Amino acid sequence: MEIGCMWMRRVRTSAIASFSLLSVHPPIPSPSFLSLHPSPPHPLPLFLPNRHSLSVAASASSPPRPLVSADGGCPELGGCEESGTATGGPKVLLKGMRYAELEKWVQSQGYRPGQALMLWKRMYGNNIWAHSADELHGLNKDFKKMLSERAELRALSLKEIRAAADGTRKILFSLEDGLIIETVIIPCDRGRNTVCVSSQVGCAMNCQFCFTGRMGLTRHLTAAEIVDQAVFARRLFHDEDGSITNVVFMGMGEPLHNIENVIKAADIMVHEQGLHFSPRKVTVSTSGLVPQLQRFLHASNCALAVSLNATTDEVRNWIMPINRKYKLSVLLQTLREELHQKSNYKVLFEYVMLAGVNDSFEDAKRLIDLVQGIPCKINLISFNPHSGSKFKPTPEEKIIEFRNILAEGGCTVFLRLSRGDDQMAACGQLGKPGARQAPLLRVPPQFEMALNAAIQFPVHSR
């Protein structure tokens, strides 16, 4: 999908991650730093990639929040039909169910399957996007009463909306455990409005150019918490901006690190009787978790974006530590093999331009070679500065020259301009790191001079 007009970017206290530095100048972390699990049984600690230099401890004050309302619990997958069957009992959070699960639960409460479809349409369609039983107009009176007693329709609470000068809006949502996530609405003159959703509170990947990465990871979002971001987007801005047509999983977090809930949320978003987004207009981004990437391509018809951001392992090891586990060659060969089996499917490569680091014309030429044999588009993204960052944005004129080299090499390439950066709503700017942050990795010696020289933004001729 073309993304030239898009961003492309009450209950208990949650676990608080803590860590302590054991050495002042650690070596570059070893490649064995990752231990990824799509559905952790407990709240996740702050993710730190250097196992030699850091110790990690998580103090969990409560168990992970299941897909329920504040007063009870019900597993996200299965078992929901067994909870909340008595007035005053635990309430089931409906936004976390696929349609088949909702239909099964409705039948378990003694109602016909047709009632499930009517409920589904009122939660996700018919310009209603209901957040309470009072908004479920047209449903059977007894059915509505049962829902008010046994079900919860909303997973998020609106905290604040911040409007940027260019029309971009950043929404801050409160979760039931008091944590905050951020969602971005990007309007487009051509009527292709986009919601950028978060998939985690923080992020474990520690990409060095990303503000969210400074937070480390607190926990995954549930499928309900992800879906409700899209529901809120349509509910809040449909009349003002027109229809929200695109979803990008490019907010806080690494989507494929939370693959179970992300795939489930995407399935709910594309259901034809509900939100009904086109699968090709729901884009899931990843930094390059290869096994999860393979699973996603087999399990979902939604679009895939891969944050590449470097043309050598040396650079990518530094700015994207995930590369120490899954090298460029492994990542790209996996894409060649997987996409060979999918017809009319292109991956989107995202490439954040960092002055003096990955923006040379030699990088452009290497990028052409790297993507050979992979049906793809390339999105060049201007780096969006944030506090504490040592990187500088590549000047626009050099980005254009970089783009021209790629185009001459036969690549389909777009430029993604910054949107919402005056409200920290642009690509790589979401979140709010606390006092304890993921570590900045040591700059390889050969790039120290480059980072200093980048301040002058030189533009060299080819």
Side-chain angles (χ1 to χ4, degrees), residues 69-116:
S69 66
D71 54 341
C74 165
E76 180 178 352
L77 290 175
C80 286
E81 66 274 14
E82 299 175 5
S83 298
T85 56
T87 300
K91 290 188 176 184
V92 173
L93 184 51
L94 302 182
K95 290 271 174 51
M97 299 183 189
R98 290 183 173 92
Y99 177 72
E101 294 170 327
L102 179 68
E103 185 178 59
K104 184 178 179 181
W105 180 81
V106 167
Q107 288 182 280
S108 76
Q109 305 304 306
Y111 295 88
R112 296 179 293 104
Q115 295 279 30

Side-chain angles (χ1 to χ4, degrees), residues 33 71 79 114 118 125 164 186 192 197 234 286 296 310 345 364 406:
F33 70 92
D71 54 341
M118 295 174 68
I186 310 100
R192 193 178 59 230
V197 301
R234 283 193 168 168
T286 181
F296 174 81
Y345 190 100
L406 296 179

